[in-house]
Amino acid sequence: MRRTTMVAALAAASLTLAACGGNSGGSNATNDDATGGGDEAAGGDSGEVEVFTWWAAGSEKLGLDAMVEVFNTQHPDIEFVNGAVAGGAGSAAKDLLQSRLQANDPPDTFQGHAGAELKDYIDAGQLEDVSDLYEEFGLTEVFPQDLIDLLTVDDAIYSVPSNIHRSNVVWANPTVLEEAGIDPTAVPASIDEWITDLEAVQEAGGTPLSVATTWTQVHLLETVLMAELGAEAYTGLWDGSTDWEGAEVTGALETFEQLMSFTNTDRDGLDWPEATQMVIDGSAAYNIMGDWAVAAFEEQGVEDYVHFPVPGTDGVFGFLADSFTLPVGSPNPDGARAWLETVGSLEGQVAFNQAKGSIPARTDADASEFSEYQQTAIESYGQDTIVPSVAHGAASSVAVLNGISDATSKFTTGGSDLATFQSELVAAVAG
């Protein structure tokens, strides 16, 4: 259903809340209130816990601070040590983390995108199975089974998600739509219907669809695959049950190529905020972006905008999530387990997500405690089919995503034809 949204302020949301990271400025502050000592819930004398993240600024830092406040209440005898590393949309933190893991110097717990992105760590034997904590903390009762299935690798779970974002969302400027003769309240039922609207915008002289650099193009590609293949076949792309060489994939890639023909020519020099800003400014009609984009509208006081699931994906929730792990060799595993308990708790998830602008992974949170957009996302999360985002690490390993990104960039910059694009995607997923 298409929704025209009035401002409902997300608590302290900001442009830096992109789920894939993106921060500036560092923080190494510690909790001065903590004193160390016994921790009954975690089952031992834990002392301190180093929590390694790339949440060093903006709403991500606010969310972390809110989580720490809950942690201090739940585990007052454990000192929180902030291991946040700023820069490079999380890449600086990931590079440092890899160096520490290779040197057998892991933090007590570290942030990672939930899902297949953790597979490299799992295959390297760097993560502990935390399945028992799901039973101990009652998480199997409050996380959707679809989510638990996506987190499970060879009958084991290796992280606890702190939040959920939705990837398959269209953001639109109703004024631009009306100028093109499009009813802003009407929702295209399919991409074919949406293309009719895109053509109308183009004929009116506007940019129909804004997009930015390669990762946003992969983001667009994944939503087209969701729409054209459906949830089951889309998920099959990542578990091997759907043939990447099949005609359905070819058709989806043809649709992707057609959608790219409606986009701005300066796309490769932009990142997602600039592409979303084109919709806010009225220089583009539509933008496909994760639901962290809502902050861009609300921070600028934009009251009249439209959002709806990517046509053809109504009832499908493209998920990505941040999560926390228990590394092998954690200096303080009891402290890490205590942190994971707070991350999975109702109090921790409510506090964190109210600040960050995402929604709880738990299904028992009171939706009325969240903003208007968050309430719609919570409703969809509770009833839709959940599928993993590839652009944000939930569907594939880092190596596979890198291969898909390279193939996509080559195709959208004119370096390959569609047949070559598809064959390179096949090769990327095959590894």
Side-chain angles (χ1 to χ4, degrees):
M1 179 177 66
R2 172 170 288 191
R3 304 178 179 91
T4 301
T5 305
M6 305 298 288
V7 167
L10 290 174
S14 82
L15 286 173
T16 54
L17 74 85
C20 56
N23 298 308
S24 61
S27 174
N28 292 304
T30 61
N31 170 20
D32 294 333
D33 295 329
T35 58
D39 175 55
E40 183 176 352
D45 184 356
S46 300
E48 65 180 27
V49 57
E50 182 193 4
V51 178
F52 188 96
T53 74
W54 57 81
W55 293 336
S59 62
E60 295 173 329
K61 177 63 164 59
L62 293 173
L64 178 61
D65 290 344
M67 185 80 82
V68 171
E69 186 172 344
V70 176
F71 178 74
N72 289 340
T73 300
Q74 294 181 343
H75 302 281
D77 296 330
I78 305 176
E79 179 180 3
F80 171 83
V81 178
N82 192 347
V85 175
S91 61
K94 292 177 183 177
D95 289 346
L96 177 58
L97 174 64
Q98 192 56 45
S99 297
R100 290 186 59 176
L101 293 176
Q102 291 175 349
N104 295 317
D105 178 32
D108 294 311
T109 178
F110 66 83
Q111 172 195 1
H113 287 136
E117 186 176 290
L118 297 179
K119 192 171 185 304
D120 293 336
Y121 300 116
I122 297 169
D123 290 345
Q126 295 169 326
L127 295 184
E128 298 280 4
D129 176 5
V130 296
S131 302
D132 60 326
L133 299 184
Y134 275 65
E135 297 295 336
E136 181 180 346
F137 301 153
L139 301 181
T140 53
E141 304 299 322
V142 295
F143 286 172
Q145 188 59 49
D146 283 354
L147 175 62
I148 291 177
D149 291 344
L150 290 168
L151 296 173
T152 302
V153 178
D154 295 333
D155 298 323
I157 304 175
Y158 292 89
S159 70
V160 176
S162 57
N163 61 303
I164 298 291
H165 276 298
R166 186 176 196 176
S167 68
N168 56 316
V169 185
V170 175
W171 307 90
N173 184 314
T175 300
V176 176
L177 301 188
E178 289 171 346
E179 289 173 350
I182 301 167
D183 178 1
T185 65
V187 180
S190 65
I191 288 186
D192 284 343
E193 288 188 14
W194 191 35
I195 285 174
T196 300
D197 290 346
L198 293 169
E199 289 171 340
V201 174
Q202 192 169 54
E203 291 172 2
T207 298
L209 177 63
S210 65
V211 73
T213 191
T214 299
W215 78 261
T216 72
Q217 297 166 28
V218 175
H219 187 118
L220 171 62
L221 172 63
E222 77 175 28
T223 64
V224 173
L225 291 167
M226 290 177 195
E228 297 283 284
L229 274 64
E232 182 176 355
Y234 169 81
T235 302
L237 292 172
W238 315 113
D239 65 18
S241 60
T242 297
D243 183 5
W244 274 92
E245 297 181 279
E248 283 188 326
V249 174
T250 305
L253 298 183
E254 290 171 348
T255 299
F256 172 69
E257 181 177 33
Q258 189 172 8
L259 290 180
M260 287 299 297
S261 73
F262 291 111
T263 64
N264 45 302
T265 57
D266 60 348
R267 58 196 178 225
D268 290 310
L270 307 179
D271 205 345
W272 77 268
E274 290 83 13
T276 301
Q277 190 66 38
M278 291 178 68
V279 172
I280 295 173
D281 293 342
S283 58
Y286 299 100
N287 174 234
I288 290 179
M289 187 42 58
D291 58 9
W292 50 90
V294 70
F297 292 87
E298 295 181 347
E299 279 190 336
Q300 297 176 61
V302 179
E303 298 184 359
D304 193 15
Y305 60 93
V306 170
H307 62 84
F308 55 91
V310 172
T313 70
D314 195 17
V316 177
F317 191 104
F319 114 95
L320 54 138
D322 298 293
S323 67
F324 285 89
T325 63
L326 176 55
V328 171
S330 165
N332 188 346
D334 286 342
R337 291 187 184 95
W339 175 254
L340 295 179
E341 182 180 34
T342 295
V343 168
S345 70
L346 179 60
E347 296 82 1
Q349 298 227 336
V350 169
F352 176 82
N353 288 290
Q354 284 178 331
K356 189 174 185 289
S358 44
I359 65 171
R362 300 175 63 110
T363 57
D364 59 345
D366 183 352
S368 67
E369 297 182 13
F370 293 87
S371 74
E372 181 179 335
Y373 171 76
Q374 286 171 304
Q375 290 181 33
T376 68
I378 289 171
E379 179 182 1
S380 297
Y381 176 66
Q383 65 188 23
D384 290 356
T385 301
I386 300 172
V387 300
S389 163
V390 62
H392 302 280
S396 71
S397 67
V398 173
V400 169
L401 174 56
N402 287 343
I404 290 173
S405 298
D406 289 345
T408 302
S409 177
K410 184 177 177 181
F411 177 65
T412 59
T413 56
S416 63
D417 60 17
L418 194 136
T420 302
F421 181 32
Q422 185 166 4
S423 67
E424 291 182 347
L425 291 175
V426 172
V429 175

